[in-house]
Amino acid sequence: WGIDLALNSTNIQSKYFTWNSNLLFSWARNKVTSYTGTNASLEILQGRPVASLFVLPWAGLDPTTGDPQGWLGDTVSKDYAALTSLQLKDRVYAGSAVPTLFGNLLNNFSYKNISLSINISYRLGYKFIRPSINYSLLYGSYIGHVDYAERWRQPGDEASTNVPSIVYPANNARDYFYNQSQALVEKAGNVRIEDIRAGYDINKLNFKKLPIDKLQVFVLVSNVGNIWIANKRGIDPNYANAGYLPPVSYSVGLRASL
């Protein structure tokens, strides 16, 4: 269930200048009312949304060793084999894994023969697991992470960090537990500028010798970037697991009307 809303407005309209806005707003929710499947790879639980984020229950770092700890029932545990085998009903529901409130705001400006449009999108009401250090990958594939600098090193560090201490040899189950735990859940809300388009119209009213009715020259800038991100680490949730952010792209074109 949900709401889809579209609002179109003319904010300013004069002889030479016009400003129009188009707002799209969607609010969507869903809940599994009945599920009899047995496929363990599908994270579907009755009473929760279809696209849910389930994480392993986090109990902080061991103050003497810096090992990650979780909850097995009411008991704090470092039995990583048991912790990583917890069924969905025993894991922590962190929230929706997809936006529940989303849409965009498109502003169109025109002044004489010049036009400008700015498209802003927003995605709110969902969570994601941010990537962090994985010592198995560090030793085996030389894949590191900036969180390495925040790792537990001595008693007392557990008060200011959730990054486990480094151990050798690495423990795959230990790494998996930490990287799928409640400690790494972040808000995924974001507002971003998707694209900016500027154009200039040439027509027969201004250029009598123009062989066609209208010619538009335009410049399009895509994937401009974020205006606001909900998580305090500044991680773009749209590319949380990417090695780098996609670059801003620029294109120039012509559009003719015969």
Side-chain angles (χ1 to χ4, degrees), residues 66-184:
D67 290 327
Q69 302 175 123
W71 290 99
L72 285 177
D74 296 328
T75 304
V76 176
S77 174
K78 292 196 292 185
D79 184 346
Y80 302 121
L83 287 167
T84 55
S85 299
L86 287 174
Q87 297 182 1
L88 285 185
K89 63 182 182 63
D90 298 316
R91 298 190 179 197
V92 176
Y93 169 68
S96 174
V98 296
T100 57
L101 194 157
F102 53 92
N104 75 291
L105 173 63
L106 177 63
N107 283 297
N108 295 295
F109 306 91
S110 65
Y111 177 73
K112 294 185 178 180
N113 290 358
I114 301 172
S115 61
L116 174 68
S117 66
I118 303 173
N119 185 24
I120 300 174
S121 67
Y122 59 92
R123 302 173 183 87
L124 306 169
Y126 69 120
K127 303 286 185 66
F128 75 107
I129 298 179
R130 68 176 180 86
S132 186
I133 188 66
N134 184 311
Y135 296 117
S136 298
L137 290 178
L138 179 63
Y139 296 150
S141 304
Y142 303 105
I143 298 175
H145 192 276
V146 67
D147 281 358
Y148 180 82
E150 299 179 21
R151 70 191 184 282
W152 185 98
R153 303 184 190 189
Q154 60 188 10
D157 286 351
E158 68 279 357
S160 59
T161 186
N162 281 325
V163 182
S165 57
I166 188 171
V167 294
Y168 187 86
N171 183 326
N172 287 324
R174 180 183 190 263
D175 288 330
Y176 181 83
F177 166 72
Y178 167 62
N179 279 277
Q180 295 298 317
S181 74
Q182 195 176 0
L184 297 179

Side-chain angles (χ1 to χ4, degrees), residues 192-196 221-225 236 239 245-249:
R192 63 186 290 110
I193 300 177
E194 296 290 350
D195 53 70
I196 300 174
V221 184
S222 302
N223 192 39
V224 178
D236 189 334
Y239 308 101
L245 297 179
V248 178
S249 64

Side-chain angles (χ1 to χ4, degrees), residues 1 18 23 44 103 147 173 189 210 221 232 256-257:
W1 64 94
T18 302
L23 173 67
I44 297 176
D147 281 358
L210 189 69
V221 184
K232 296 180 180 179
S257 299

